[in-house]
């Protein structure tokens, strides 16, 4: 293993608020960084924001802000989110910083001095959301071949980079370094792309201003990807006065973590810029998959963009970090759903891990007066656990090297199951009954040690939970593991220390709560609160509505009349209403629709009592597929406006017969 480890995330565009896609890479990078720190490596974790370019300039204009003003606003949200997610970068680079500009200018000069820059005219297509150039033959029906959004015709004077010159050197590099691009399927894609021929790349723009001026290139700003990619070295001080002690120490990066959509920029453009400048290439670029949401692409027009802050409010940093890295292999696409997340919380975190800790601490209380006992005799079962811990630690290292987060976690959970089984087999409660005090002490100390080992492995993934576990086991508050070796060492916990009983580490989310979350999420999405002012998250753009519109208006994509006419809205009279059993927020309404009566379940108990509802005229969606909520079938949905927690039912201002259609 290298004695230094430099890991980067993409730098995020500031035209938009952070969403789970951004959180995903950054959590992975932080986990990797923490792990390498534990392994004794000198680590540098870099993240930051990509603040130049046409896309940011336009977003700012649409919001009546200067690009710098927008960047200053959004960057704070990233800082805040990383804090909440317990992400601890060593540096955060903004491309509008002077130190970055110096790095970019220096890289550009080197490339130019190498004879790889020339002035010409660019004519072709530009995809602003992706900030990428396309030729006539690449564009598909006026749309970007990568993201499917409309492209614009561009014709302007431009500096070009002789990328074509690096086709063969890059191919050679790809062939000689099989680990350079991962996963392998992505590497093959890139090889095919490069074999298909590299064209020279336009690297400056003249039709807008928001970028780093081309050195001695009046009227030109650098192409935003040339600017952005350089962050990986400018943050280390490259191009700065004392030309970067950090650069000398940490470059080349050990791994650039990125999403699969930006692989070409990292696997083709970036290495060829570096080759031209005579600088070493990063050791590895790993492209992870994309998250869909409940089976659909995340996009503003679908109003399903997942805001990590809302996940944090509901589930906390540990569960979010755990879920994202456990649910899906890092290189593959995955699907996000609250159900899947709740399942993981209940089964893996509450049941397996939480319960193991809880029962162990409970028994130390019950049988040992709340103080960690000293192990008496260590037998085969105990030795078996110690060996499993050592073996797991060894494999874990390898699997993290190849970024198999989900495998690592699965392995940790195999061990947790083993410890739970150990407790069941040894059954301290029976040992105690039969007077085998030595057996009780050995078992409980061994279980406590095994959990401590788990806390070492989990520290990179769930730092808060790891600290809490350690505190409960009698270690000091805020006492993180210092080295991975602690997972191989046994008898670290001091006998005689007091353990700390407490509430469950991960409370179970029961059915009712899960249902409430589902309803609240549904309402948020209806109100377009998934990710405020999100322009898009990788799908078709929606025109921004002007004027004092609500968020719901901003989020809504236009639909045609035909689509609207499919919704059957009808007036209904509330015959009776009662709370749904075991639910805090659901009411079951019996509704008169003139020709029939039906039951509709509504999450409105926080705003209305059953009594005040009886006799009211409401409006319902009458042709919604029936759904069972907390055991009651709901045959429609009552319309209501929502402001925070408060709901206001849609009613009619004149009396109409029940069942009257609403249009
Ligand atoms: N600014 C560029 C990166 C420059 S790096 C020198 C950029 N920024 S971005 O904000 O649009 O996207 C950043 C990352 O978010 C990309 O790696 C992208 O893959 C990732 N994701 C965006 N949507 C995603 C999902 N739905 N799922 C997972 N990751 C996704 O591109």
């Amino acid at each position: 293993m290298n004695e230094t480890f430099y890991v980067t995330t993409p730098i995020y565009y500031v035209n938009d608020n952070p969403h789970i896609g951004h959180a995903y890479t950054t959590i992975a990078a932080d986990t990797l960084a923490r792990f390498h720190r534990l392994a004794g490596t000198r680590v540098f974790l870099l993240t930051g924001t990509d603040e130049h370019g046409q896309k940011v300039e336009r977003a700012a204009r649409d919001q009546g802000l200067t690009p710098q003003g927008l960047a200053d606003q959004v960057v704070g949200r990233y800082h805040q989110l990383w804090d909440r997610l317990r992400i601890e970068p060593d540096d955060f680079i903004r491309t509008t910083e002077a130190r970055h500009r110096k790095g970019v200018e220096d890289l550009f000069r080197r490339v130019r001095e190498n004879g790889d820059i020339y002035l010409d005219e660019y004519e072709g297509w530009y995809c602003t959301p992706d900030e990428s150039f396309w030729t006539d033959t690449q564009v598909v029906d006026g749309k970007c071949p990568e993201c499917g959004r409309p492209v614009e015709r561009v014709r302007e004077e431009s500096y070009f980079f002789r990328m074509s010159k690096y086709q063969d050197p890059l191919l050679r590099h790809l062939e000689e370094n099989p680990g350079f691009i991962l996963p392998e399927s992505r590497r093959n894609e890139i090889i095919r792309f490069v074999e298909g021929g590299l064209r020279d790349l336009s690297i400056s723009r003249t039709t807008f201003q928001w970028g780093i001026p081309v050195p001695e290139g009046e009227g030109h700003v650098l192409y935003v990807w040339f600017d952005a990619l350089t962050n990986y070295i400018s943050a280390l001080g490259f191009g700065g006065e004392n030309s970067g002690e950090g650069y000398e120490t940490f470059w080349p990066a050990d791994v650039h973590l990125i999403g699969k959509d930006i692989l070409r920029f990292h696997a083709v453009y970036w290495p060829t810029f570096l080759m031209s400048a005579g600088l070493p290439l990063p050791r590895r670029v790993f492209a992870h998959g994309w998250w869909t949401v409940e089976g659909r692409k995340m996009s503003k027009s679908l109003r399903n963009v997942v805001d990590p802050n809302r996940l944090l409010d509901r589930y906390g940093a540990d569960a979010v970090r755990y879920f994202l890295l456990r649910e899906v292999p890092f290189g593959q696409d995955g699907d996000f759903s609250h159900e899947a997340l709740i399942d993981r919380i209940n089964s893996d975190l509450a049941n397996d891990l939480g319960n193991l800790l809880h029962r162990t601490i409970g028994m130390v209380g019950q049988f040992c007066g709340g103080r960690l006992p000293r192990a008496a005799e260590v037998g085969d079962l105990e030795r078996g656990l110690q060996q499993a811990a050592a073996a797991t630690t060894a494999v874990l290292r390898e699997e993290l090297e190849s970024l198999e987060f989900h495998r690592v976690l699965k392995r940790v959970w195999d061990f947790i199951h083993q410890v739970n089984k150990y407790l069941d087999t040894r059954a301290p409660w029976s040992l105690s009954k039969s007077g085998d005090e030595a057996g009780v002490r050995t078992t409980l100390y061994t279980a406590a040690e095994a959990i401590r080992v788990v806390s070492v492995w989990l520290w990179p993934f769930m730092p808060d939970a790891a600290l809490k576990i350690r505190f409960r086991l009698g270690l000091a508050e805020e006492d993180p593991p210092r080295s991975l070796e602690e997972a191989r060492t046994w008898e670290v916990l001091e006998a005689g220390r007091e353990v700390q009983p407490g509430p469950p580490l991960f409370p179970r989310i029961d059915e009712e709560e899960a249902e409430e979350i589902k309803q609240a999420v549904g309402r948020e999405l209806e109100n377009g609160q998934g990710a405020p002012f999100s322009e898009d998250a990788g799908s078709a753009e929606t025109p921004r509505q002007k004027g004092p519109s609500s968020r719901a208006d901003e989020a809504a994509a236009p639909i045609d009349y035909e689509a609207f006419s499919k919704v059957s809205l009808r007036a209904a009279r509330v015959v009776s209403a009662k709370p749904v059993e075991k639910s805090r927020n659901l009411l079951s309404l019996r509704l008169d629709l003139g020709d029939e009566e039906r039951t509709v379940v509504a999450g409105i108990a926080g705003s209305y009592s059953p009594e005040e509802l009886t006799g009211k005229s409401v409006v319902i969606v009458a042709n919604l597929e029936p759904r069972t909520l907390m055991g009651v079938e709901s045959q429609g949905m009552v319309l209501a406006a929502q402001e925070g927690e408060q709901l206001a039912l849609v009613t009619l201002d004149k009396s109409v017969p029940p069942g009257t259609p609403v249009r």
Side-chain angles (χ1 to χ4, degrees):
M1 195 187 286
N2 311 319
E3 59 181 88
T4 59
F5 184 77
Y6 178 28
V7 50
T8 67
T9 74
I11 48 171
Y12 303 108
Y13 286 129
V14 289
N15 67 308
D16 205 349
N17 276 347
H19 58 66
I20 50 164
H22 307 130
Y24 184 44
T25 332
T26 318
I27 290 169
D30 182 69
T31 301
L32 215 53
R34 283 174 188 267
F35 180 80
H36 280 272
R37 279 188 209 114
L38 262 193
T41 312
R42 209 172 142 201
V43 172
F44 198 83
L45 165 60
L46 176 68
T47 189
T49 40
D50 191 351
E51 305 188 354
H52 289 131
Q54 197 158 7
K55 166 159 152 156
V56 172
E57 192 186 62
R58 282 191 188 163
R61 199 180 48 215
D62 286 351
Q63 291 171 55
L65 296 167
T66 61
Q68 189 66 58
L70 175 63
D72 291 345
Q73 221 176 63
V74 176
V75 76
R77 300 189 188 131
Y78 275 98
H79 279 298
Q80 222 176 17
L81 179 62
W82 301 155
D83 274 357
R84 291 193 73 192
L85 277 166
R86 301 290 181 265
I87 283 159
E88 291 176 0
D90 294 286
D91 201 350
F92 186 111
I93 180 102
R94 300 181 59 179
T95 55
T96 49
E97 288 176 76
R99 59 173 177 152
H100 174 68
R101 180 169 170 162
K102 285 191 183 132
V104 174
E105 287 170 348
D106 194 358
L107 185 71
F108 182 82
R109 284 203 182 96
R110 286 178 194 233
V111 173
R112 179 149 66 191
E113 275 159 24
N114 198 28
D116 288 338
I117 301 288
Y118 62 91
L119 193 60
D120 203 341
E121 187 180 71
Y122 173 79
E123 180 165 9
W125 300 96
Y126 196 74
C127 171
T128 304
D130 281 359
E131 300 279 16
S132 60
F133 296 99
W134 300 105
T135 62
D136 288 338
T137 51
Q138 288 170 318
V139 162
V140 184
D141 299 334
K143 305 264 169 62
C144 168
E146 194 85 18
C147 70
R149 289 170 288 203
V151 288
E152 291 162 52
R153 191 76 187 162
V154 175
R155 188 171 167 195
E156 59 191 16
E157 188 185 69
S158 173
Y159 285 100
F160 280 79
F161 166 60
R162 285 187 212 283
M163 198 158 71
S164 57
K165 182 172 150 190
Y166 295 94
Q167 177 171 337
D168 291 337
L170 181 58
L171 268 179
R172 219 171 307 127
H173 187 81
L174 284 161
E175 269 147 28
E176 285 166 6
N177 298 276
F180 177 47
I181 309 295
L182 285 177
E184 207 185 322
S185 56
R186 300 276 165 222
R187 169 176 181 255
N188 296 337
E189 263 169 37
I190 289 296
I191 291 178
R192 279 197 301 277
F193 178 83
V194 181
E195 281 172 346
L198 288 190
R199 308 162 62 96
D200 289 351
L201 180 72
S202 162
I203 54 159
S204 75
R205 305 284 316 268
T206 43
T207 44
F208 76 99
Q209 301 302 311
W210 183 235
I212 295 178
V214 171
E216 296 99 45
E218 212 177 308
H220 289 250
V221 293
L222 278 162
Y223 173 39
V224 68
W225 274 102
F226 187 92
D227 167 345
L229 287 160
T230 310
N231 90 89
Y232 300 130
I233 52 177
S234 67
L236 297 177
F238 174 84
E241 258 87 78
N242 48 16
S243 204
E245 194 196 320
Y247 175 81
E248 294 305 326
T249 312
F250 289 106
W251 190 256
D254 290 85
V255 60
H256 291 319
L257 298 184
I258 56 164
K260 63 180 185 181
D261 56 316
I262 56 173
L263 180 58
R264 190 166 34 96
F265 304 103
H266 285 80
V268 180
Y269 296 7
W270 181 224
T272 54
F273 297 159
L274 290 167
M275 280 176 177
S276 167
L279 301 175
L281 307 195
R283 294 201 167 89
R284 173 166 297 176
V285 177
F286 192 104
H288 65 66
W290 264 45
W291 285 92
T292 49
V293 175
E294 319 246 348
R296 305 176 79 180
K297 196 165 175 174
M298 202 161 56
S299 88
K300 188 185 170 194
S301 47
L302 292 176
R303 293 189 284 173
N304 64 352
V305 177
V306 179
D307 176 354
N309 279 301
R310 285 177 195 271
L311 295 184
L312 284 166
D313 295 341
R314 280 195 185 102
Y315 308 108
D318 289 319
V320 172
R321 290 175 66 119
Y322 175 77
F323 174 78
L324 292 177
L325 295 181
R326 173 66 186 89
E327 188 69 2
V328 175
F330 197 51
Q332 291 175 23
D333 292 340
D335 190 45
F336 175 88
S337 75
H338 287 269
E339 264 111 328
L341 174 46
I342 291 170
D343 263 4
R344 286 279 173 206
I345 292 175
N346 284 347
S347 72
D348 301 4
L349 300 182
N351 205 34
D352 300 336
L353 172 62
N355 200 29
L356 172 63
L357 178 72
H358 202 67
R359 70 202 284 226
T360 305
I361 302 278
M363 285 191 280
V364 171
Q366 192 179 351
F367 302 121
C368 310
R371 290 184 183 276
L372 274 180
R374 191 175 303 282
E377 265 170 41
V378 170
D380 284 350
L381 284 179
E382 287 74 24
R383 267 190 293 276
L385 276 183
Q386 293 181 10
Q387 280 156 6
T392 303
T393 307
V395 196
L396 220 124
R397 262 181 109 116
E398 278 168 34
E399 287 176 343
L400 266 182
E401 293 274 308
S402 47
L403 302 168
E404 296 176 282
F405 300 104
H406 73 294
R407 260 188 219 283
V408 171
L409 287 171
K410 170 146 189 340
R411 224 170 262 290
V412 173
W413 255 256
D414 287 345
F415 183 79
I416 291 173
H417 292 147
Q418 203 179 332
V419 185
N420 265 319
K421 214 159 130 204
Y422 166 77
L423 275 180
D424 294 340
T425 310
R426 294 283 271 162
W429 47 94
S430 308
L431 294 174
S432 169
K433 248 193 219 145
S434 60
D436 183 357
E437 289 309 318
V440 172
R441 288 203 301 273
T442 303
T443 310
L444 292 179
Y445 184 77
T446 304
E449 268 293 287
I451 301 171
R452 180 195 55 78
V453 168
V454 168
S455 80
V456 180
W457 295 329
L458 288 187
W459 158 251
F461 292 89
M462 299 195 285
D464 285 349
L467 288 180
K468 281 188 207 149
I469 292 172
R470 296 166 71 80
F471 177 64
R472 297 274 178 96
L473 291 174
L475 293 168
E477 230 166 322
E478 304 287 319
D479 184 5
R482 322 252 154 214
S483 147
L484 195 59
E485 281 311 301
E486 290 179 28
R488 288 186 213 268
T489 322
W490 217 256
E491 290 189 37
V492 170
L493 293 173
E494 244 177 83
R497 293 289 295 247
E498 238 179 299
V499 295
Q500 303 290 336
L505 202 56
F506 293 99
R508 273 188 72 78
I509 298 179
D510 61 26
E511 225 183 290
E512 179 185 358
E513 232 176 302
E515 190 53 56
E516 271 167 19
I517 289 176
K518 232 194 283 168
Q519 294 233 343
V521 170
R523 284 196 302 269
E524 277 160 20
L525 295 179
E526 284 303 311
N527 291 341
Q529 291 168 352
F533 93 72
S534 158
E535 195 55 50
D536 72 278
S539 183
E541 254 179 301
T542 30
R544 179 166 291 281
Q545 310 226 343
K546 296 268 185 282
S549 55
S550 70
R551 279 204 191 129
D553 287 337
E554 280 185 4
I559 54 168
D560 57 17
Y561 184 76
E562 199 192 330
F564 171 69
S565 66
K566 288 187 186 145
V567 182
S568 161
L569 299 173
R570 293 174 73 184
R573 198 178 55 85
V574 183
V575 180
S576 62
K578 60 177 184 199
V580 171
E581 223 177 285
K582 288 203 252 146
S583 164
R584 269 177 296 215
N585 197 32
L586 297 180
L587 294 181
S588 166
L589 312 181
R590 195 68 194 154
L591 299 179
D592 176 7
L593 273 93
D595 48 358
E596 57 165 326
E597 271 198 11
R598 2 174 140 175
T599 300
V600 168
V601 178
I604 54 175
S607 303
Y608 293 93
S609 69
E611 298 71 40
E612 65 183 305
L613 285 169
T614 309
K616 253 193 200 326
S617 277
V618 293
V619 176
I620 69 161
V621 183
N623 62 341
L624 210 57
E625 273 182 9
R627 252 179 86 194
T628 303
L629 301 170
M630 300 291 294
V632 182
E633 189 183 78
S634 177
Q635 301 154 324
M637 188 176 89
V638 177
L639 295 186
Q642 183 178 16
E643 177 68 45
E645 294 293 298
Q646 278 309 304
L647 293 169
L649 285 169
V650 174
T651 54
L652 297 163
D653 74 346
K654 284 202 185 84
S655 160
V656 296
T660 305
V662 176
R663 299 199 193 287

